[in-house]
Amino acid sequence: MTMDSTKLRFFAPCPRGLEAVFEAELHSLGVPTTTKTEGGIGFTAPWSSMYWINLKSHIASRVLWEVGQSPYRSEDDVYRAAYALAWPDWFTPSQTIKIKVSARRCPLPSLDFLTLRIKDAVCDKFVASRHRRPSVNTERPNIKLDAFLDQSTVTFYLDTSGEPLFKRGHRVMSVEAPLRENLAAGILRLAGWSPKEVLLDPMCGGGTIPLEAALMARQIPPGISRNFAFERLLVHDEKRWGHLREAARAKQVAAVPAAIYASDHDPAMVKIAQRTFQGAGVGIDIRLKQSDILDLEAPADGGVMVLNPPYGVRLSQPDELQSFYPRLGDWLKQRFAGWRAYVLTGDARVPKQIGLAPSKRIPLFNGALECRLYEFLIVQGGARRRLTPPTKI
Ligand SMILES: C[S@@+](CC[C@H](N)C(=O)[O-])C[C@H]1O[C@@H](n2cnc3c(N)ncnc32)[C@H](O)[C@@H]1O
């Protein structure tokens, strides 16, 4: 029996606020039945769908394979549930492991102690059947095991992704306050951007948003340049994985259908973005330049603008806030009629400062920071008048 002849259960976490667009993405990747929870989606699918999602999802943070679930009341119950699982069928004792336990409303007092008990159960299982135990490596483990406890049930997962999926392997160096790649992709999806529309990111920093857009437009799988933890599992099917990668590569298109523009006023950022775009193979797809945002003219009659302004403006420089956002509002009204603009900010005063009425405000989390993505529909002489209260998604 191959892994593909059975349906397996998976859970894929995503940034909070992106559950709906992630669910739509999973449907488009061929997963019909999904269960949405806060911070992720559960689904049942064959093994090769897990390969496909790791490779192709722009929004998943990781894909966890659910290997067991059991009711529990005590630490010993958790030990027994972990011991009952067929760990030696999935990896070898020469591979290192890391166990991560998380819980919601778990009545047991110590997650550290539970972690230890699960580790003991896994190691005891290996000693009983292979006479050797795997060792723990919390820094760079070969195999990551997750356990999640609610009030009465413990669920065990093997992490099929390894490094989180937002690490695409394209970053050439770190920049200040970059967006995570899956959040950038989620913003594009929330904006309803289609690759046929012109896109502009005039505060592009390291270029995360335009890069995600170019990958989407060229249908380059976001995971094509990286490795995955499933490649280290005993049940990994190298042949099937090779075929899927080739099938994904074959779907790539040669050029973006509509222009993608990116700029930043900081020459160092422009240089980093340029190297990143080139490294990802989309250097020719993104029209990048150095410019202050307020010096830019609209590059087309209509399109989608995505703005991720610096947080420093919000936190430490109220004067700059006072003067920058009204000028940004005027710039939008005067030069970008016909465009949809999306601003990601943690500062609720921004729409008022910009002087435009948002048509949507979408709660999102940038790491731990609660933000809003504001949509402004720019029409001649101002934003479209709001007839109904803004949509809250
Ligand atoms: C929060 S960062 C953007 C991060 C980016 N989304 C990424 O993922 O790397 C904000 C960027 O706005 C740029 N910026 C600030 N003021 C600007 C201005 N007046 N014109 C153009 N860019 C500006 C900064 O140089 C910085 O790179």
Side-chain angles (χ1 to χ4, degrees):
M1 192 178 74
T2 66
M3 289 293 276
D4 255 352
S5 57
T6 359
K7 288 233 175 172
L8 303 162
R9 283 210 45 79
F10 298 95
F11 181 76
C14 68
R16 271 191 293 163
L18 294 184
E19 294 86 350
V21 283
F22 181 33
E23 190 169 46
E25 180 183 66
L26 283 176
H27 293 163
S28 76
L29 293 175
V31 179
T33 320
T34 47
T35 316
K36 197 164 64 186
T37 57
E38 197 189 327
I41 311 275
F43 58 95
T44 306
W47 184 248
S48 52
S49 291
M50 175 275 289
Y51 288 163
W52 198 237
I53 294 159
N54 269 299
L55 181 64
K56 298 265 293 181
S57 172
H58 281 268
I59 298 179
S61 298
R62 47 182 74 245
V63 183
L64 306 174
W65 171 27
E66 183 184 315
V67 291
Q69 190 170 65
S70 182
Y72 78 93
R73 291 173 72 175
S74 66
E75 286 88 352
D76 281 349
D77 292 339
V78 175
Y79 174 93
R80 276 190 288 271
Y83 188 87
L85 298 177
W87 305 107
D89 289 353
W90 302 321
F91 58 94
T92 73
S94 56
Q95 290 173 301
T96 55
I97 59 171
K98 176 179 177 178
I99 291 158
K100 192 180 114 208
V101 177
S102 48
R104 197 176 297 151
R105 291 194 298 271
C106 167
L108 301 179
S110 164
L111 294 192
D112 285 347
F113 184 57
L114 276 168
T115 310
L116 207 63
R117 293 300 284 149
I118 295 168
K119 191 264 296 169
D120 285 347
V122 175
C123 289
D124 291 352
K125 183 76 172 214
F126 272 98
V127 170
S129 72
R130 301 283 189 273
H131 313 293
R132 270 184 72 197
R133 57 174 57 227
S135 43
V136 171
N137 181 337
T138 51
E139 295 293 314
R140 296 179 63 82
N142 301 131
I143 305 288
K144 285 193 204 162
L145 281 76
D146 280 44
F148 175 74
L149 294 98
D150 66 14
Q151 214 165 7
S152 57
T153 307
V154 55
T155 310
F156 297 98
Y157 301 94
L158 278 171
D159 182 344
T160 67
S161 305
E163 285 282 300
L165 293 175
F166 59 79
K167 296 196 175 173
R168 316 279 199 230
H170 298 313
R171 282 204 191 278
V172 286
M173 56 201 290
S174 56
V175 300
E176 215 181 302
L179 282 182
R180 284 188 174 171
E181 286 74 354
N182 55 351
L183 181 58
I187 289 170
L188 289 165
R189 295 261 165 82
L190 287 168
W193 174 75
S194 121
K196 291 192 184 121
E197 289 179 292
V198 172
L199 181 76
L200 166 64
D201 177 353
M203 289 183 147
C204 72
T208 320
I209 296 166
L211 174 55
E212 284 301 305
L215 296 178
M216 285 179 191
R218 298 257 326 264
Q219 297 186 41
I220 298 173
I224 201 75
S225 311
R226 53 163 280 163
N227 299 316
F228 299 93
F230 60 70
E231 295 171 79
R232 298 190 283 269
L233 294 175
L234 290 172
V235 285
H236 174 51
D237 182 345
E238 184 59 39
K239 206 166 147 200
R240 183 91 183 102
W241 170 228
H243 283 150
L244 285 173
R245 277 173 64 97
E246 282 322 304
R249 268 190 222 277
K251 286 202 171 127
Q252 292 180 22
V253 297
V256 292
I260 299 175
Y261 295 91
S263 51
D264 198 287
H265 70 166
D266 181 346
M269 283 297 161
V270 174
K271 225 177 233 165
I272 292 172
Q274 185 176 31
R275 284 180 53 199
T276 308
F277 298 158
Q278 281 166 351
V282 294
I284 52 162
D285 297 304
I286 301 170
R287 302 175 196 198
L288 175 68
K289 69 173 181 184
Q290 186 209 337
S291 172
D292 190 281
I293 183 170
L294 300 177
D295 293 336
L296 292 172
E297 297 290 338
D301 286 344
V304 175
M305 181 190 308
V306 182
L307 274 174
N308 170 212
Y311 297 120
V313 170
R314 175 176 73 93
L315 295 173
S316 56
Q317 293 145 322
D319 289 351
E320 210 174 314
L321 173 78
Q322 296 288 333
S323 66
F324 174 72
Y325 283 114
R327 286 163 63 212
L328 180 74
D330 291 343
W331 173 78
L332 284 169
K333 283 178 251 182
Q334 286 157 13
R335 300 189 196 177
F336 282 86
W339 283 65
R340 310 199 301 279
Y342 295 83
V343 181
L344 179 74
T345 175
D347 191 329
R349 293 168 298 177
V350 162
K352 205 165 170 224
Q353 294 284 343
I354 290 183
L356 292 171
S359 41
K360 283 185 194 164
R361 55 185 89 215
I362 304 170
L364 277 182
F365 282 82
N366 184 6
L369 189 68
E370 189 174 351
C371 297
R372 294 278 181 282
L373 182 68
Y374 294 99
E375 177 189 74
F376 300 99
L377 304 175
I378 317 295
V379 292
Q380 205 75 48
R384 187 167 294 163
R385 271 174 62 82
R386 189 174 2 123
L387 299 173
T388 47
T391 323
K392 201 173 169 205
I393 295 179

